[in-house]
Amino acid sequence: MTTQSQTDPELMGLEDEELWEMIERHRCKIVQRLSPERLTPYLRQARVIDAMDEEDILHCAKFSTRAMRMGHLLDVLHTRGKNGAIAFLESLMLLNPRFYTLITGKEANKDPNSFTKLIDSSQLSIFLMNTLSSLQEELMQEKQVKGTLVHHLHKMREKQQQLKEEGESMRSMEHENQRLRREMDAQSQMISKLKDEQYELSMRYSHALQEKDSVQSRNSELQDQTFG
């Protein structure tokens, strides 16, 4: 079923286990960073998986995370031998050239003539058009999400500035409150001092009155003795 690629005869000349060993060396990064949803349409057109495989890979309850689904996809493709490996690498050549280069050490070539006959040129052209449309839609969605996030960030910054201003206002009020407390303490001390002075003056006045009464009494006694 396989035919040699026009541009990568070295890869096509490898045995299936050699190809899979090359892929499996990067399994950790593959399952962490790639999305099976992006790859299964090409793999179905390449006839290395069918509709039931795709349903199982993408929707089986056992594979609850993207990484688990991607790992399951690799396991399914491994059972397809060399065709599974080649189809997987070709899907990366189209959809994630950096990973293709990481795994193979070769630059990705999207020329339809560089692909194997796992998928014919007409289907490949349709797939490329659908992929481009899908990527454009994803780009629009990402722009919308980015716009939403930018708007949210702007609102958060406004809220942050508002809280900052409120904090500064509260600090200013606290400083004013502390100043008023210091003034009240100073006035309270002054009032206490005035009360002490008033009490001292009252005592002195009382003593003066007593002395006056004593003097008047003595004067009266002297007058009585003088004119008595």
Side-chain angles (χ1 to χ4, degrees), residues 93-151:
M93 188 188 298
L94 281 172
L95 301 170
N96 203 309
R98 286 183 297 178
F99 259 89
Y100 175 84
T101 301
L102 173 69
I103 294 171
T104 66
K106 300 177 180 296
E107 291 296 324
N109 185 354
K110 296 184 181 182
D111 182 353
N113 292 326
S114 69
F115 288 79
T116 64
K117 299 304 179 182
L118 290 173
I119 176 173
D120 62 43
S121 58
S122 62
Q123 287 180 314
L124 182 59
S125 298
I126 293 173
F127 177 79
L128 289 172
M129 291 177 63
N130 291 338
T131 300
L132 179 60
S133 176
S134 175
L135 290 174
Q136 289 175 336
E137 183 176 349
E138 288 181 12
L139 181 60
M140 289 181 61
Q141 291 175 352
E142 288 179 0
K143 286 182 177 179
Q144 291 176 350
V145 171
K146 182 180 178 181
T148 301
L149 291 175
V150 168
H151 178 72

Side-chain angles (χ1 to χ4, degrees), residues 36 39-40 43 49 57 69-78:
L39 305 179
T40 53
L43 298 173
I49 64 170
I57 291 164
R69 292 191 293 273
M70 190 65 223
H72 184 47
L73 172 60
L74 287 179
D75 294 338
V76 171
L77 290 175
H78 202 157

Side-chain angles (χ1 to χ4, degrees), residues 16 21 23 28 38 40 58 63 80 95 116 159 198 214 219 221:
D16 57 348
E21 183 180 352
I23 294 169
C28 183
R38 294 283 304 277
T40 53
L58 300 183
F63 309 113
R80 307 303 195 259
L95 301 170
T116 64
K159 184 65 175 179
Q198 184 181 25
S214 178
N219 286 337
E221 289 177 357

